Amino acid sequence: MTAPAQQMPAPRPLVYAGAEDRYFDYCLQPYDPLRDPRGKLRSESLLWNSLDVARAAPSLDAALGAVQRTAGRDMTVVGVKHQGGRIWWELYFYDRLKEDPAVRAASIIDAVAPWFHVVPRPRETVPYFMFSFDVHPDTADGGRVDVVNLYLPYYEVQGGRSYKLSADRLEMDNVYRFLHPKTEIREIVHDVRQSVFVDFTRVPLSRILLPELIDCNRICVAKKRFADAVYYSGIDVGQLRFFLRTLCYPEPIVAFVEAQRAALDHLRFDVGIDYVMLPDGSLSTTKSSYYCTL
Amino acid sequence: MTESAMRDQVHPTRFRDLAVTVDFHCHSACTFCIVQEGMNNYRGVPFERFVAIVDENLRSRKYDRVIFTGGEVTLEKSLFQFVALARSSGAFRHVRLQTNGRKLADPAFTHALVEAGIDEFFVSLHGDTADLHDRITQRAGSFDELVRGLAHLATHPVRRITNTVVHRTNIGAFENIVGIAHAHGVSEMEFWNYLPMEDHADERNLIAPLPETMPSLRTALARCAALGIRAVTKYVPRCLLGEHGATLDNSQPDTIIVETFWNEFPRFACLYEGVCEHSDECLGLSHDYVRKFGWEEAALQPVPRTRPWRPRAGGVDGKADETADESAAPHGHPAWEALIAGVPQEAGHLVRVQLNRNQARYTLALPRGGATVELVLAARDQETPALARSASFNIFYTQLKGSYDRADMERLLRAAAERIIAHDDGSLSLDSRKGLVQLARKGKERPAVV
């Protein structure tokens, strides 16, 4: 007698573009769709697909729905994070001019309270223009979020610093800078090479600045506590497919993008790669991510 | 990226030349062949299609030259039929054959081709010795056949051009190849850097490392110059050509070939594209090269740009991926574009629509002079000063740019506002929670109330 096959839950439904949809990159900067979006998918479809793949509890859908209602449609940036086959999500909320109380940390934290407890409460006098926190497949089943990230801007230079806020400590986590991939390439190369994690006498620059992704709208170079990172913003669906394949994302995620390629080709995407050099001189991706808006 | 966009990016066309792929057979087996797999799948252009091409060109006179290629086109029995039509129709000034040159060893065959109307021969010469050339073509005797063919061509009043594929195997042979070509009266030589179309991982180990390749190539180009031979280079970085930079010509003819051919066409990039004066004509390095040998960031010597950088057609700022809508009109927000439809052409036109957090911003342009203005829609209220109000929106203007006549600009703004008021049935809305950030910060441009 054989055991019954495990029932796979039905995939979450596709979400199609609407007339009022806005198109934002992961900095919540607007962009023009590459083509007529009618009949095509909203970028949040990538999120729902990743929830399927990560077998996230349905409660997370409900929590994300509450986030969307609170922040407003298209107003939440979601990073789908990948590390060694593990998938989770980071939710980012922008309010550069502190003009919308609905996307202040307190409001979002209250909105998700029925599903999970966000422990840190940022002090609203901190001049953050964005905050974020991670959720995992089971977070919305009464879990807790112990860290909130706060992002502070530079003066004029596009970029910022992020800090990790937990119940009992606040620590600097990351500095990053956005640059134009063509006209500011010297600055990009300089910033990438300024590394304590990679020995560039052993690692070619082309392993980090990938030719397939460098045709993008902006590159972000980040210096983190335990890794360096490069982000490519404004890539097209073909480049997203390359990224997912190259970074060894779970096959159902790659397959989804390939199957829906024509329904995603009006969108731009953003991706990031965290990396360090291993003792043998090889480059190791410690984390990667792709982004959509909810 | 669309196939057409890809062609634009990597393959700017010689607009007056048309290449027609007549067949896909070959009796050589060049190690670097870019259609080795394609030979099994690709089909040549049917004669009936070529008849239509000829008819069209007789009307349009778009092309001066037709180039018959393959595969090895001399193996195709119907070649003479194609050539005869090309010549007898008068549709083309020049008829070129692109060949490995082996069948030209037969003087009668060569004579027949010339008699049929071919006045330009583009033949492949990849080695400076029989040993090297035959090793590359993987056919013993192919070099001797080619050299006899060049000798036969020298007895006819035809243009002779050689093509050498630059790859790892023939580094160091280029200067002597020039000598062989010169000895046979060749007037033009082309050196094409190898494109790994069917072997992106370069398992055949054919991609030539440029630091090794370029000194030899520059020497060959210097010899061409000394001998009065016109030289053309393709797919090498211009800055590595030194004083021979002007030989770089990455253009190709318009090519009638199965569309899938372009799927595998290499992509190119250069770290210095945005800062180099020559990036408009230089493609940089193939992605396959960069993966194997790196960006060559120390070797490349960009010439500082004197003009603003603009993205190449087909780059990420252009149309991306398949099925691109080639229309120049905006098309990203159709419902919002419909809201303003009907502005008379003589008043101006819509350049783009962009939806911000809380605004729809229409960039409008006057019909002449290039002046633009942004018409801004925000959620309607009764308190905020506005140019006009529709059912759902306050309407403002901002960002006046360029020189314009005030009456012309007022006519455009009035026409646009009227269309929005007429079309706004309340079915579209904007988030009212956030303030008018950009307008509030532009005090000098605060719009007047009408």
Side-chain angles (χ1 to χ4, degrees):
Chain A
M1 190 171 168
T2 56
Q6 190 177 357
Q7 195 75 24
M8 284 290 291
R12 289 164 171 85
L14 299 172
V15 185
Y16 287 89
E20 295 182 359
D21 281 2
R22 290 160 292 183
Y23 296 85
F24 297 114
D25 68 10
Y26 68 162
C27 294
L28 220 62
Q29 295 292 315
Y31 67 85
D32 293 341
L34 292 165
R35 48 183 60 74
D36 190 336
R38 283 176 289 195
K40 296 179 185 281
L41 295 176
R42 281 173 55 79
S43 75
E44 68 177 88
S45 299
L46 295 176
L47 166 64
W48 304 122
N49 163 255
S50 69
L51 261 65
D52 284 338
V53 174
R55 309 232 177 156
S59 53
L60 187 53
D61 300 47
L64 291 169
V67 165
Q68 188 182 44
R69 285 190 298 277
T70 303
R73 191 171 157 101
D74 307 314
M75 287 291 120
T76 306
V77 173
V78 181
V80 182
K81 309 282 170 166
H82 176 231
Q83 185 177 47
R86 196 165 59 88
I87 298 287
W88 73 100
W89 304 270
E90 186 168 2
L91 309 181
Y92 303 82
F93 303 92
Y94 288 83
D95 191 20
R96 294 179 193 282
L97 299 176
K98 298 208 173 197
E99 58 181 339
D100 186 358
V103 289
R104 304 307 296 165
S107 174
I108 298 297
I109 289 170
D110 289 346
V112 299
W115 294 276
F116 56 91
H117 177 42
V118 180
V119 177
R121 288 258 173 177
R123 174 168 50 84
E124 283 303 326
T125 51
V126 174
Y128 69 88
F129 70 90
M130 172 176 66
F131 76 96
S132 72
F133 56 81
D134 288 357
V135 292
H136 296 266
D138 58 355
T139 296
D141 282 343
R144 49 189 277 163
V145 171
D146 290 317
V147 173
V148 167
N149 306 296
L150 302 177
Y151 299 79
L152 277 66
Y154 290 125
Y155 180 71
E156 289 194 340
V157 173
Q158 200 179 9
R161 291 149 288 177
S162 76
Y163 295 82
K164 281 194 179 307
L165 172 66
S166 54
D168 57 353
R169 65 192 301 181
L170 181 61
E171 57 189 351
M172 190 166 179
D173 186 50
N174 178 4
V175 294
Y176 60 97
R177 183 182 179 197
F178 291 96
L179 293 155
H180 192 280
K182 305 296 181 184
T183 58
E184 295 178 308
I185 189 63
R186 294 186 198 280
E187 291 89 332
I188 291 170
V189 171
H190 173 271
D191 285 1
V192 168
R193 285 185 181 280
Q194 295 300 307
S195 175
V196 296
F197 297 113
V198 177
D199 177 353
F200 280 95
T201 65
R202 304 174 74 187
V203 176
L205 186 64
S206 55
R207 291 293 320 282
I208 292 163
L209 292 177
L210 302 176
E212 294 85 354
L213 299 179
I214 203 166
D215 263 337
C216 63
N217 285 344
R218 278 186 304 175
I219 284 179
C220 176
V221 182
K223 301 296 177 182
K224 304 186 178 182
R225 292 182 66 196
F226 303 114
D228 288 347
V230 170
Y231 296 76
Y232 304 88
S233 177
I235 63 174
D236 65 29
V237 67
Q239 291 171 300
L240 175 66
R241 174 184 174 274
F242 164 83
F243 167 83
L244 296 171
R245 278 239 172 269
T246 302
L247 276 294
C248 301
Y249 273 74
E251 186 57 31
I253 288 180
V254 182
F256 177 81
V257 170
E258 289 178 343
Q260 299 296 339
R261 182 171 177 149
L264 295 167
D265 65 2
H266 59 305
L267 298 170
R268 294 188 187 278
F269 306 91
D270 313 295
V271 298
I273 304 169
D274 290 19
Y275 57 89
V276 295
M277 190 183 78
L278 299 178
D280 66 359
S282 63
L283 203 66
S284 172
T285 300
T286 57
K287 185 181 71 176
S288 66
S289 47
Y290 61 99
Y291 297 83
C292 59
T293 53
L294 176 60
Chain B
M1 193 172 284
T2 59
E3 287 157 0
S4 60
M6 183 61 62
R7 281 196 296 268
D8 291 343
Q9 182 189 4
V10 302
H11 222 196
T13 53
R14 288 176 185 153
F15 292 107
R16 306 295 293 173
D17 292 6
L18 176 71
V20 176
T21 50
V22 178
D23 82 319
F24 282 99
H25 310 93
C26 193
H27 55 334
S28 289
C30 296
T31 52
F32 53 73
C33 182
I34 63 172
V35 288
Q36 203 171 69
E37 300 287 331
M39 296 269 193
N40 299 321
N41 311 313
Y42 297 165
R43 294 289 174 268
V45 173
F47 184 71
E48 299 72 29
R49 187 171 176 201
F50 183 62
V51 171
I53 290 168
V54 166
D55 289 344
E56 174 56 31
N57 203 50
L58 282 169
R59 279 190 293 275
S60 67
R61 292 290 172 185
K62 181 177 180 183
Y63 301 109
D64 277 342
R65 173 180 289 110
V66 62
I67 302 165
F68 293 117
T69 183
E72 175 45 44
V73 68
T74 56
L75 298 178
E76 174 55 46
K77 291 192 174 100
S78 64
L79 171 63
F80 284 92
Q81 191 181 9
F82 280 79
V83 174
L85 178 62
R87 187 52 78 190
S88 65
S89 65
F92 306 98
R93 285 180 60 206
H94 298 289
V95 182
R96 178 179 292 189
L97 201 68
Q98 188 164 333
T99 171
N100 64 24
R102 293 178 59 190
K103 288 201 71 177
L104 304 181
D106 176 353
F109 184 75
T110 303
H111 181 77
L113 289 171
V114 175
E115 283 296 302
I118 294 172
D119 62 341
E120 298 179 345
F121 287 81
F122 186 85
V123 297
S124 302
L125 176 58
H126 301 303
D128 60 340
T129 63
D131 175 60
L132 177 59
H133 184 90
D134 292 358
R135 202 151 29 95
I136 293 168
T137 63
Q138 300 189 93
R139 289 297 181 268
S142 63
F143 180 81
D144 291 339
E145 289 172 330
L146 167 61
V147 168
R148 288 206 302 278
L150 286 172
H152 294 145
L153 286 177
T155 66
H156 297 282
V158 293
R159 186 175 172 188
R160 284 153 283 159
I161 309 151
T162 60
N163 175 33
T164 302
V165 172
V166 173
H167 63 298
R168 190 185 277 275
T169 316
N170 61 6
I171 295 174
F174 306 134
E175 185 179 7
N176 288 339
I177 290 173
V178 174
I180 292 169
H182 179 66
H184 291 86
V186 167
S187 59
E188 296 169 54
M189 298 187 72
E190 298 201 0
F191 296 89
W192 296 16
N193 200 8
Y194 165 63
L195 297 179
M197 287 205 33
E198 294 182 346
D199 179 21
H200 293 293
D202 198 32
E203 291 175 356
R204 301 179 206 169
N205 199 27
L206 294 173
I207 299 178
L210 290 171
E212 290 178 38
T213 309
M214 295 311 293
S216 170
L217 183 57
R218 286 193 296 267
T219 302
L221 295 173
R223 181 134 193 235
C224 282
L227 295 171
I229 295 174
R230 178 175 177 269
V232 168
T233 53
K234 291 188 190 296
Y235 314 133
V236 292
R238 191 186 196 278
C239 59
L240 298 185
L241 288 166
E243 63 182 299
H244 307 288
T247 64
L248 183 68
D249 174 4
N250 288 316
S251 68
Q252 287 285 358
D254 283 353
T255 303
I256 308 295
I257 192 170
V258 289
E259 279 295 302
T260 52
F261 173 81
W262 301 106
N263 293 347
E264 295 301 319
F265 207 88
R267 276 74 162 164
F268 291 83
C270 177
L271 278 184
Y272 302 122
E273 179 193 332
V275 296
C276 179
E277 180 78 347
H278 297 302
S279 63
D280 295 345
E281 71 260 26
C282 177
L283 295 170
L285 304 164
S286 71
H287 288 185
D288 305 305
Y289 185 95
V290 175
R291 275 194 297 272
K292 182 155 187 173
F293 295 113
W295 285 107
E296 301 286 9
E297 64 268 24
L300 298 180
Q301 300 293 324
V303 175
R305 273 190 89 84
T306 58
R307 301 157 290 158
W309 173 82
R310 293 181 190 283
R312 284 177 184 143
V316 75
D317 283 319
K319 306 288 190 298
D321 216 60
E322 287 91 353
T323 64
D325 180 352
E326 301 295 339
S327 163
H331 50 260
H333 300 290
W336 295 90
E337 289 156 24
L339 203 58
I340 204 169
V343 172
Q345 281 187 342
E346 59 272 22
H349 63 273
L350 176 64
V351 177
R352 73 186 293 207
V353 182
Q354 190 162 59
L355 293 186
N356 292 346
R357 286 181 161 205
N358 57 333
Q359 301 167 341
R361 299 176 75 94
Y362 294 82
T363 304
L364 304 170
L366 289 174
R368 287 169 297 280
T372 59
V373 62
E374 286 193 15
L375 197 71
V376 181
L377 272 55
R380 175 170 177 147
D381 62 28
Q382 294 303 326
E383 293 77 35
T384 311
L387 177 73
R389 294 182 217 283
S390 66
S392 307
F393 308 113
N394 291 342
I395 305 173
F396 308 87
Y397 69 88
T398 184
Q399 301 285 334
L400 287 160
K401 289 180 181 168
S403 300
Y404 56 89
D405 181 89
R406 183 185 173 93
D408 291 343
M409 188 59 80
E410 284 182 358
R411 184 163 63 244
L412 173 58
L413 288 168
R414 186 178 301 279
E418 286 173 355
R419 300 321 303 159
I420 291 167
I421 291 167
H423 289 148
D424 180 10
D425 60 2
S427 61
L428 291 172
S429 63
L430 288 163
D431 190 338
S432 62
R433 290 178 304 172
K434 300 179 180 68
L436 292 173
V437 176
Q438 295 183 14
L439 289 177
R441 298 177 109 194
K442 294 181 182 298
K444 290 180 183 174
E445 296 181 9
R446 198 168 184 84
V449 182
V450 295

